[in-house]
Amino acid sequence: MTKTDTPRGERAGRDGPGDSGVPDGRATGRRRARVRRALAPLATPAPWRRGRVLAGSALLLGLVMLGHGWLTDFGGLGSLVETFLPWSALGVLVLLAAALWRRSASAVVALLLPALVWAGLFGGLLGDRSRAGGDLTVVSHNVGAENADPAGTARALAASGADLLALQELTGEAEPVYEKALAEAYPHHTVRGTVGLWSRLPLSGTRTVDVAMQGMAGPLAAHLTPEERAATPRALRTTVATERGPLVVYVAHLGSVRVNPRAGFSTDQRDEGARSLARAVAAERGARVVLLGDLNGTTDDRAFAPLTSRLRSVQDAAGDGFGFSWPAAFPVARIDQVLVRGVEPVGAWLLARTGSDHLPVAARIGW
């Protein structure tokens, strides 16, 4: 019997490296070898022993972020940490750079804890959460007692097209300037002490709200006599008549946070003001409520839990990013707030810098 040779083309088709897309065995082996060489250093103890201090620091950072609510508030420590908690991401990045430089596998793995905690706390605030629509635009601005151009600030705020303008830190000298500059666009306004509301819509039932101020400090105090510092109101409540029914509006400027060598991060006066304001809101019978103002604290701060348990932050619900508003030259915290109840947050954003050390904050709400 004569042996029949297999045609060369068929043999090549069966055994060749390109048949049926099957990878060449030698190429696969080379890839596996490269992976083994890349992972080989991790198989030795050295990368896991290096950077133990970095690994410990990463775990400590993660635990502080995770358990910030259990931190003591002695000397204002808890409030201080919570105010700047979003900036803990910088700590993660610095530690990551150090871990890579030290080639520390243990530190890189330990950094997973703070990275995941930060993502859980603040990942939802990244990006623009606003939507179309809305019925009313509001703006809140601490205009600054040292503002050298109140007329220019008034023009900039009016140009925003807002229906309501809530101003804080009004001085006796600047108030008439705002009244004159805003009169045409905002025919209705009310002022109590150092806070005021300018409105395109009618206002009624305005009254002062006690926010437990036992005096004033800072730039505003320089414009007041000692008697005025103790008695000048810092918050008001009024009712805005809208086409959709009454809207209760609070305008507030809580006490400043102070740092001094003996008391540390002093928040007592602000915290008491937050509690007083929360009691007023809790007793409010109006279905729709908006709180506008410089609260001298962020909504992450435990001091504002009595307020944030009853009111929603428009920035958190429908803002663009974190919306840091202070200081205007390099904002690191959002201490100027728009909080609501009974209305829908539609959007929140920052306005351009004025002559103040705060940025104006704007929000759109709907029914």
Side-chain angles (χ1 to χ4, degrees), residues 8 10 17 23 30-31 33 36 47 51 93 101 110-111 128 139 227 238 252 258 281 304 308 321 328 338:
R8 184 175 299 175
E10 291 182 16
R30 285 194 295 271
R31 283 195 291 272
R36 283 195 295 269
L93 294 177
W101 180 71
L111 278 166
D128 189 353
V139 166
E227 294 76 16
T238 193
R258 298 292 167 194
V281 171
F304 295 98
T308 55
V338 180

Side-chain angles (χ1 to χ4, degrees), residues 243-266:
E243 294 180 352
R244 308 294 294 273
L247 175 71
V248 175
V249 175
Y250 286 81
V251 181
H253 183 192
L254 297 186
S256 299
V257 171
R258 298 292 167 194
V259 179
N260 69 64
R262 293 185 178 180
F265 191 65
S266 177

Side-chain angles (χ1 to χ4, degrees), residues 199-335:
S199 173
R200 298 183 188 276
L201 303 169
L203 305 175
S204 64
T206 302
R207 59 177 172 81
T208 297
V209 177
D210 179 17
V211 288
M213 289 296 298
Q214 302 300 317
M216 296 187 190
L220 186 57
H223 294 263
L224 302 171
T225 66
E227 294 76 16
E228 288 172 333
R229 293 174 199 169
T232 299
R234 300 253 296 207
L236 65 81
R237 178 238 188 242
T238 193
T239 301
V240 181
T242 78
E243 294 180 352
R244 308 294 294 273
L247 175 71
V248 175
V249 175
Y250 286 81
V251 181
H253 183 192
L254 297 186
S256 299
V257 171
R258 298 292 167 194
V259 179
N260 69 64
R262 293 185 178 180
F265 191 65
S266 177
T267 65
D268 291 348
Q269 194 169 64
R270 184 209 61 182
D271 295 351
E272 181 56 36
R275 289 190 288 269
S276 295
L277 194 54
R279 287 192 291 269
V281 171
E284 180 60 59
R285 296 184 178 181
R288 303 184 182 98
V289 179
V290 175
L291 168 60
L292 305 161
D294 172 8
L295 303 189
N296 272 308
T298 71
T299 53
D300 296 313
D301 192 324
R302 65 187 69 186
F304 295 98
L307 274 174
T308 55
S309 64
R310 295 181 172 89
L311 303 171
R312 299 175 66 191
S313 165
V314 180
Q315 176 65 34
D316 289 351
D320 185 1
F322 290 95
F324 296 146
S325 63
W326 179 88
F330 186 80
V332 297
R334 185 181 178 89
I335 64 175

